[in-house]
């Protein structure tokens, strides 16, 4: 596999290994072969079931990187890949030699393209040389003005969107999806904040495709996810994948083909139940997530004319005059409709614009089965946040436990989840809690048991009560581990949305709700004591740090929010929640220290009105012996019927809504690529990654009304704003 092959093998009895040595050596060597040369057909007809040591594969990649600027062989094999795919599309799915050649072309392209991207000296990836030499003879079927990246992405997307997945096409579909991830991995070379100087030729080419093709691709990727096609057994005929433990040439360099042998075995042997058991399904989802969350940073036309004399502008000036272009894949997902219903506007007119039509019922069920998988959580978030039709569909389902139980179980298992996954799960709950019918429905659905909840036996518990328990447990976990203000706020906002609709909250959930106030009050008291101690030591001088005052203010807000949650239950739903009354009476001493606090006194007046009412009823009872829990509850239930809310102050009902921040790509692009790399779809040189820092410590920042959590390991930025409506 040297830079110059020794001799062409002309004899009829040449060993396949020698033929492969010659052809691969020629591909990476110094001699440039015209795009119309027979060499390309011989290379693509080569059965890639032979093996080379890892160091020779790396040598081949380095040789191509060295010679590609003269030979343009990467560009040429990409063109041949496009031609093979065009032939496959024309064959309408029937097996043909073009399929084998396309598979070989995408194998070779993936191996060498990945090496060139991760070895690029700068993020402008000039080393790819995605254009032919001016002296190159142009074939008749090649449009000279069309960029190679646009040609290859158009044909790859056309194949994915128009050719059905079948046992004959499964392998090519899988490898094309892997190729897309590799081609779009140029984003890993860019900084965490998208800028106008970022160069991502392949994903930019995907973004400018016609809307009809975009719709086809989004539709097919989602159908792949919904239908969960398994790997056909006939794929085992590719001996490159199934020859014992010694990895093949492509496997050794982390190519798309390399992972094909590893993924099926790990899926079939996995016992965690996370995600799908099909590599095609995983890749379809990851490609979709990369596509829908990409936004290109573009310099505005006005700033283009405002250049300095030497024709250059500073990075800061460029950044100030940029905007993010629309993403057609994101729009296609947001406009997707249920194929069982025509899309009708408020005037009863059917929309004529082509849209992606999906089986929402199947999508709902598939998501419910896969929410242990972090990528599935992100897809659900993307659908609920962006697609009002799907959100409405979810809200009218009567089996809400299909989605909610996996979400709550994942939050219960928070120590084993990433902070980003916890945020996504909580935001999903917040989005759903914005609907009053959802909040009411959760309390009507009774769960016979919750086997994964180990701290206490939860028998005949409502789904709404379980939500309250898990949200409070998440706050407790956050207090001890993550200490993230945004997470606190999201949990409490969801509880506040639920509060007016609480119905027969369980005894355990009611106890946890009062304990939440106590838990936060302890944190508040520690901060207040620390403040007072510092003030005494400083003898009145202002030595308090801004961080300390900010944290004290934040926990004051949290305590007030919990009191407002309790008030909402007591003013809107007290007769239906005797267990809440009992829990408040049982722990009434926790409220006493705050009775005269200026931020809390009005809210506590209502709580003490309730306490006075029920305490007086208890005192009026003549009892023989000790009060038992059952007897106290019996008195509360009887007197709930006569409760009229006299003396209660009515406060404005809290309603929090989630609004995605204006530039979500700064969070989602790094997040999606972390998911891609965590799946080991392909390895990537960590030293070349600029999109997110790798493994440094975590840092938390708080900014006025919006809290940003910047985790330096890539789990960064807030997802949006919580608005009290």
């Amino acid at each position: 596999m040297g830079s110059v092959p020794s001799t062409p093998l002309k004899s009829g009895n040449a060993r396949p290994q020698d033929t492969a040595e010659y052809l691969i050596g020629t591909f990476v060597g110094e001699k440039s072969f015209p795009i119309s040369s027979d060499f390309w057909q011989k290379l693509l007809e080569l059965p890639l079931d032979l093996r080379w040591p890892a160091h020779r594969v790396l040598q081949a990649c380095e040789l191509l990187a060295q010679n590609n600027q003269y030979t343009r062989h990467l560009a040429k094999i990409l063109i041949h890949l496009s031609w093979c795919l065009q032939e496959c599309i024309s064959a309408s799915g029937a097996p043909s030699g073009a399929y084998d050649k396309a598979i070989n072309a995408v194998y070779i392209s993936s191996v060498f393209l990945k090496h060139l991207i991760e070895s690029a000296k700068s993020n402008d990836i000039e080393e790819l040389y995605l254009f032919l030499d001016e002296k190159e003879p142009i074939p008749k079927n090649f449009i000279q003005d069309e960029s190679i990246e646009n040609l290859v992405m158009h044909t790859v997307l056309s194949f994915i969107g128009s050719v059905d997945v079948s046992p004959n096409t499964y392998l090519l579909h899988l490898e094309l999806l892997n190729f897309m991830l590799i081609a779009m991995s140029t984003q890993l070379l860019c900084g965490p904040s998208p800028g106008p100087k970022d160069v991502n030729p392949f994903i930019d080419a995907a973004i400018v495709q016609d809307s009809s093709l975009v719709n086809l691709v989004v539709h097919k990727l989602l159908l792949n996810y919904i239908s969960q096609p398994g790997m056909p057994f006939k794929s085992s005929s590719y001996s490159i994948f199934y020859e014992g433990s010694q990895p093949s040439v492509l496997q050794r360099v982390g190519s798309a083909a390399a992972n094909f042998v590893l993924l099926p075995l790990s899926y079939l042997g996995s016992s965690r139940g996370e995600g799908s058991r099909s590599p095609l399904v995983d890749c379809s989802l990851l490609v979709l997530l990369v596509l829908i969350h990409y936004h290109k940073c573009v310099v505005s036309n006005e700033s283009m004319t405002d250049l300095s004399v030497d024709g250059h502008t500073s990075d800061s000036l460029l950044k100030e005059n940029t905007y993010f272009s629309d993403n057609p894949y994101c729009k296609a997902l947001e406009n997707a409709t249920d194929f069982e219903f025509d899309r009708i506007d408020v005037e009863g007119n059917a929309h004529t614009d082509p849209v992606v039509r999906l089986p929402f019922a199947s999508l709902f069920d598939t998501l419910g089965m896969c929410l242990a998988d972090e990528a599935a959580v992100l897809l659900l978030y993307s659908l609920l946040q962006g697609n009002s039709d799907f959100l409405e569909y979810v809200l009218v389902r009567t089996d809400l436990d299909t989605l909610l139980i996996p979400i709550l179980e994942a939050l219960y298992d928070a120590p084993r989840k990433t902070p980003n996954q916890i945020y996504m799960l909580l935001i999903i709950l917040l989005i759903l809690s914005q609907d009053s019918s959802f909040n009411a429905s959760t309390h009507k659905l009774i769960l016979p048991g919750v086997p994964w909840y180990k701290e206490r036996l939860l028998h005949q518990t409502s789904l709404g009560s379980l939500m309250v328990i898990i949200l409070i447990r998440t706050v407790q976990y956050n207090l001890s581990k993550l200490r993230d203000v945004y997470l606190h706020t999201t949990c409490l906002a969801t509880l506040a949305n639920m509060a007016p609709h609480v119905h027969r909250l369980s005894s355990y959930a009611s106890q946890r709700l009062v304990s939440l106030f106590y838990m936060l009050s302890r944190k508040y008291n520690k901060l207040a004591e620390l403040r007072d101690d510092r003030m005494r030591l400083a003898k009145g001088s202002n030595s308090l740090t801004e961080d300390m005052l900010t944290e004290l203010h934040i926990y004051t807000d949290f305590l007030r929010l919990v009191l407002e949650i309790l008030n909402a239950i007591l003013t809107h739903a007290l007769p239906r929640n005797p267990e809440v009354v009992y829990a408040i009476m049982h722990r009434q001493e926790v409220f006493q220290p705050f009775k005269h606090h200026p931020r809390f006194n009005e809210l506590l007046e209502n709580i003490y009105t309730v306490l006075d009412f029920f305490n007086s009823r208890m005192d009026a009872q003549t009892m023989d012996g000790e009060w038992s829990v059952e007897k106290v509850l019996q008195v509360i239930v009887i007197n709930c019927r006569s409760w009229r809310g006299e003396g209660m102050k009515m406060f404005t009902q809290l309603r929090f809504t989630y609004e995605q921040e204006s530039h979500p790509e700064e969070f989602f692009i790094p997040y999606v690529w972390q998911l891609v790399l965590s799946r080991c779809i392909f390895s990537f040189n960590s030293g070349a990654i600029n999109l997110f820092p790798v493994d440094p410590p975590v840092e938390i920042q708080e900014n006025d009304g919006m809290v940003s959590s910047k985790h330096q390991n890539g789990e960064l930025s807030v997802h949006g704003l919580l608005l009290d409506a």
Side-chain angles (χ1 to χ4, degrees):
M1 213 184 285
S3 60
V4 180
S6 53
T7 56
L9 300 177
K10 298 180 181 179
S11 61
N13 58 354
R15 293 186 307 141
Q17 179 79 30
D18 296 333
T19 304
E21 290 274 353
Y22 167 70
L23 292 172
I24 298 295
T26 301
F27 173 72
V28 303
E30 297 176 352
K31 183 179 179 181
S32 174
F33 281 77
I35 195 170
S36 56
S37 169
D38 291 341
F39 161 76
W40 298 102
Q41 296 304 315
K42 295 177 181 177
L43 178 65
L44 298 183
E45 290 170 358
L46 177 68
L48 293 180
D49 58 355
L50 304 171
R51 305 184 182 282
W52 287 269
H55 72 277
R56 300 192 69 197
V57 178
L58 179 61
Q59 180 189 25
C61 290
E62 291 173 346
L63 284 170
L64 182 73
Q66 175 183 322
N67 296 320
N68 186 51
Q69 59 180 315
Y70 309 111
T71 64
R72 310 293 164 88
H73 278 182
L74 176 65
K76 292 172 186 177
I77 198 167
L78 289 175
I79 293 171
H80 277 279
L81 170 60
S82 299
W83 289 345
C84 290
L85 291 175
Q86 290 170 6
E87 186 177 341
C88 293
I89 295 170
S90 301
S92 302
S96 70
Y99 273 85
D100 293 337
K101 290 192 291 185
I103 290 172
N104 286 352
V106 74
Y107 285 168
I108 297 171
S109 299
S110 296
V111 172
F112 293 102
L113 178 60
K114 174 187 163 296
H115 177 82
L116 290 173
I117 290 174
E118 66 182 346
S119 303
K121 297 176 182 177
S122 61
N123 71 346
D124 59 9
I125 55 173
E126 294 177 355
E127 292 88 344
L128 296 183
Y129 293 97
L130 296 174
F131 50 89
L132 298 178
D133 190 276
E134 295 178 356
K135 301 177 182 178
E136 177 80 27
I138 305 299
K140 295 180 180 179
N141 57 344
F142 182 72
I143 303 174
Q144 190 168 7
D145 294 334
E146 184 176 20
S147 69
I148 291 174
E149 56 267 30
N150 185 72
L151 171 67
V152 70
M153 291 305 282
H154 177 77
T155 50
V156 168
L157 291 169
S158 296
F159 182 91
I160 292 172
S162 61
V163 177
D164 291 335
V165 176
S166 69
N168 291 325
T169 64
Y170 182 99
L171 181 57
L172 183 52
H173 270 284
L174 173 62
E175 291 309 323
L176 288 173
L177 291 169
N178 281 325
F179 169 81
M180 283 192 66
L181 290 172
I182 288 172
M184 297 187 295
S185 69
T186 53
Q187 288 183 277
L188 290 167
L189 307 180
C190 303
S193 179
K197 294 185 178 180
D198 294 344
V199 179
N200 298 292
F202 292 99
I203 193 168
D204 285 342
I207 292 296
V208 299
Q209 298 301 314
D210 184 76
S211 61
S212 60
L213 177 55
V214 168
N215 286 343
L216 279 175
V217 171
V218 172
H219 182 258
K220 178 57 69 67
L221 293 176
L222 283 169
L223 282 187
N224 287 349
Y225 184 70
I226 293 168
S227 61
Q228 304 267 314
M231 187 185 319
F233 287 106
K234 68 171 294 181
S235 296
S236 62
S237 62
Y238 290 89
S239 57
I240 182 176
F241 303 130
Y242 293 92
E243 290 188 5
S245 60
Q246 294 183 352
S248 67
V249 53
L250 298 180
Q251 294 165 7
R252 297 300 290 268
V253 294
S255 70
N259 293 276
F260 192 74
V261 65
L262 303 177
L263 282 172
L265 296 178
S266 62
Y267 276 90
L268 294 173
S270 174
S271 60
R272 295 181 300 169
E274 296 184 3
S276 73
R277 293 180 179 270
S278 165
L280 179 67
V281 176
D282 272 359
C283 288
S284 296
L285 178 55
L286 292 172
V287 168
L288 178 65
L289 292 175
V290 171
L291 288 171
I292 64 174
H293 288 294
Y294 175 71
H295 288 276
K296 182 176 177 61
C297 186
V298 181
V299 180
S300 63
N301 292 331
E302 292 78 5
S303 63
M304 294 296 290
T305 60
D306 189 26
L307 297 174
S308 58
V309 177
D310 61 357
H312 296 284
T313 55
S314 68
D315 289 343
S316 59
L317 182 60
L318 276 176
K319 193 70 175 175
E320 291 175 1
N321 294 278
T322 58
Y323 65 94
F324 288 94
S325 61
D326 290 335
N327 182 326
Y329 295 90
C330 180
K331 285 189 173 182
L333 185 72
E334 292 175 349
N335 294 328
T337 63
D338 190 351
F339 73 176
E340 294 185 2
F341 299 95
D342 289 328
R343 195 175 186 191
I344 310 258
D345 61 26
V346 291
E347 297 178 356
N349 300 315
H351 288 252
T352 57
D353 295 336
V355 295
V356 176
R357 304 189 68 184
L358 297 165
F360 277 5
S362 299
L363 180 57
F364 179 93
D365 292 338
T366 302
L367 285 167
M369 292 187 296
C370 298
L371 284 177
D373 171 31
E374 193 167 357
V377 173
L378 181 53
L379 175 60
L380 177 58
Y381 163 84
S382 304
L383 286 163
L384 294 177
Q385 191 279 326
N387 190 310
S388 58
D389 284 358
F390 187 75
L391 174 59
E392 182 179 347
Y393 175 84
V394 170
L395 292 172
V396 300
R397 288 279 296 228
T398 56
D399 56 341
L400 289 170
D401 53 318
T402 300
L403 286 184
L404 289 183
I405 293 297
I407 290 173
L408 297 176
E409 184 177 1
L411 287 173
Y412 177 81
D413 200 29
R416 295 183 179 86
K417 307 300 179 186
T418 67
N420 283 338
Q421 187 173 1
I422 296 172
Y423 297 150
M424 289 285 98
L425 292 165
L426 290 174
I427 291 172
I428 288 169
L429 293 180
L430 176 61
I431 291 172
L432 295 174
S433 74
Q434 293 168 193
D435 183 80
S436 58
S437 64
F438 166 83
N439 293 321
S441 298
T442 60
H443 291 281
K444 296 176 183 176
L445 205 159
I446 305 300
L447 306 172
V450 186
W452 45 263
Y453 195 91
K454 304 301 182 184
E455 287 82 351
R456 190 183 183 101
L457 180 64
L458 299 179
H459 181 64
Q460 294 297 315
T461 300
S462 71
L463 184 58
S465 293
L466 182 61
M467 281 185 66
V468 171
I469 292 167
I470 296 299
L471 286 169
I472 293 171
R473 191 178 188 275
T474 304
V475 173
Q476 185 176 13
Y477 169 72
N478 185 49
L479 269 176
S480 62
K481 300 295 182 182
L482 299 179
R483 298 180 177 88
D484 190 292
V485 175
Y486 179 76
L487 192 151
H488 270 346
T489 306
T490 308
C491 289
L492 295 177
T494 305
L495 288 170
N497 286 346
M498 295 174 65
H501 311 281
V502 166
H503 183 84
R504 299 194 65 80
L505 195 67
S506 71
S507 60
Y508 183 53
S510 301
Q511 294 165 23
R512 299 304 299 149
L513 193 54
V514 177
S515 296
L516 173 62
F517 180 84
Y518 177 66
M519 183 169 48
L520 293 172
S521 69
R522 290 180 60 189
K523 178 68 174 178
Y524 172 87
N525 288 333
K526 287 181 181 179
L527 291 169
E529 289 173 8
L530 186 59
R531 174 200 62 187
D532 296 341
D533 290 344
R534 290 200 178 184
M535 289 182 68
R536 280 195 299 270
L537 290 172
K539 296 181 180 179
S541 65
N542 187 14
S543 64
L544 298 179
T545 64
E546 184 178 346
D547 289 345
M548 182 187 298
L549 292 174
T550 299
E551 190 172 11
L552 187 62
H553 178 74
I554 287 170
Y555 277 90
T556 304
D557 288 342
F558 286 160
L559 280 173
R560 181 176 174 86
L561 189 49
V562 175
L563 288 175
E564 294 197 71
I565 292 168
L566 290 170
N567 262 268
I569 297 173
L570 296 177
T571 54
H572 296 281
L574 185 148
R576 305 191 302 270
N577 291 283
E579 293 284 3
V580 176
V581 176
Y582 177 87
I584 291 174
M585 293 179 68
H586 183 65
R587 299 291 303 277
Q588 54 189 289
E589 74 280 355
V590 304
F591 303 106
Q592 183 62 38
F594 301 95
K595 193 171 183 179
H596 302 293
H597 193 292
R599 290 289 306 279
F600 309 142
N601 56 356
E602 284 187 341
L603 294 165
L604 282 169
E605 283 179 13
N606 277 352
I607 290 178
Y608 276 96
T609 297
V610 173
L611 285 171
D612 291 343
F613 177 87
F614 285 95
N615 282 332
S616 65
R617 299 312 188 268
M618 293 284 296
D619 293 340
Q621 297 290 320
T622 57
M623 277 294 300
D624 295 330
E626 297 291 329
W627 282 98
S628 65
V629 174
E630 292 76 14
K631 290 177 181 178
V632 173
L633 265 176
Q634 185 179 7
V635 174
I636 292 173
V637 170
I638 292 171
N639 286 281
C640 277
R641 299 168 189 164
S642 60
W643 169 260
R644 298 292 180 267
E646 296 175 0
M648 297 285 283
K649 292 183 178 180
M650 298 298 294
F651 296 96
T652 303
Q653 184 174 321
L654 289 181
R655 183 174 179 272
F656 289 90
T657 59
Y658 170 76
E659 183 177 292
Q660 188 169 267
E661 60 182 358
S662 57
H663 295 299
E665 59 281 337
E666 294 186 6
F667 167 79
F668 285 106
I669 291 176
Y671 182 31
V672 171
W673 278 104
Q674 282 185 308
L675 290 178
V676 173
L677 295 182
S678 70
R679 300 306 179 83
C680 299
I681 298 300
F682 63 94
S683 60
F684 200 90
N685 175 15
S686 60
I689 297 175
N690 296 313
L691 185 59
F692 49 83
V694 180
D695 292 331
V698 172
E699 178 181 292
I700 296 179
Q701 300 179 352
E702 298 164 2
N703 305 315
D704 301 320
M706 183 176 71
V707 182
S708 298
S709 309
K710 292 204 171 184
H711 300 262
Q712 292 303 309
N713 60 358
E715 294 155 353
L716 46 84
S717 184
V718 73
H719 312 306
L721 301 175
L722 293 176
L723 304 178
D724 176 10

